[in-house]
Amino acid sequence: DYELCEEWEHLYPVPREDLINLHREHLLHLLKMGDMEKALQLLQRIEDPGICLAISEQSLDQHPNLAASHFLADYLTAHFYADLTTARRNEIQALYMGSKVLLTLPELSRVNYFHLSSRPLLMLEQLLMNMKVDWVAVAVQTLHQLLAEQEIGFTVEDIDSLLSKYAEKALNFPFALKEKRS
């Protein structure tokens, strides 16, 4: 049906909003099916960059699954970086980083942290509070690599500060140990 609509679009004038809605729904369908290659081909077929940007952003705002969010954040950053406001750019990059960190977690646990995908530091803090130290190690390594490549609303120092805070709390004993004397 989507392909038929796309052919129709080439034969008859279609209002811009209807065109955006059509392509957005088609893109979300392809992403839901896990067909990233066809999704990329669809975006590349769209000649108007303004329409392509609108479709990508609206699709991302629909909060699709993890792989789709990661794909869309990566696509928007790669192709429309200069067209985005600084706040929107930081938001999309945070989502990209958060989804990348989520992809390093065991598959069954991802659902527990998906709601934090746009807030990687908060996700890291949640992992620390849940005592998932092995997962934190992988997440920190991933974030360090990503922060070396991109500028975003937080830095490596913020991550180190968070880790130091929780390391200090782990060593803080609320009572004094007393020696037993005989």
Side-chain angles (χ1 to χ4, degrees), residues 5-155:
C5 289
E6 202 171 319
E7 287 178 29
W8 187 269
E9 165 209 338
H10 293 295
L11 299 173
Y12 299 98
V14 177
R16 180 181 167 90
E17 283 306 309
D18 291 341
L19 197 59
I20 290 171
N21 290 336
L22 165 71
H23 287 306
R24 183 189 67 235
E25 292 304 317
H26 189 189
L27 179 63
L28 287 170
H29 171 74
L30 291 171
L31 293 172
K32 183 178 179 184
M33 301 306 287
D35 198 342
M36 304 304 174
E37 187 62 35
K38 281 190 178 176
L40 182 60
Q41 290 171 3
L42 169 67
L43 290 170
Q44 290 171 342
R45 278 196 309 267
I46 299 168
E47 296 172 3
D48 184 344
I51 290 177
C52 192
L53 173 62
I55 293 164
S56 303
E57 277 195 290
Q58 287 178 18
S59 297
L60 186 64
D61 291 340
Q62 296 267 330
H63 303 291
N65 63 37
L66 175 61
S69 295
H70 186 72
F71 170 84
L72 289 166
D74 186 35
Y75 183 82
L76 282 164
T77 302
H79 293 89
F80 296 106
Y81 189 82
D83 299 322
L84 301 168
T85 64
T86 304
R88 183 68 170 159
R89 194 178 308 142
N90 286 345
E91 178 186 326
I92 290 171
Q93 286 179 321
L95 181 63
Y96 175 79
M97 288 183 179
S99 62
K100 189 81 165 180
V101 169
L102 271 175
L103 289 169
T104 67
L105 300 181
E107 192 171 339
L108 295 175
S109 302
R110 292 175 187 165
V111 70
N112 299 329
Y113 300 96
F114 183 73
H115 66 285
L116 299 172
S117 59
S118 62
R119 313 239 349 249
L121 272 181
L122 194 56
M123 185 188 315
L124 190 62
E125 187 168 5
Q126 187 71 49
L127 289 169
L128 284 167
M129 288 192 293
N130 291 340
M131 303 294 289
K132 304 294 185 188
V133 180
D134 295 339
W135 298 357
V136 169
V138 175
V140 167
Q141 183 180 13
T142 302
L143 285 173
H144 276 257
Q145 290 170 350
L146 291 171
L147 285 171
E149 301 168 6
Q150 300 178 17
E151 184 180 318
I152 193 169
F154 63 93
T155 64

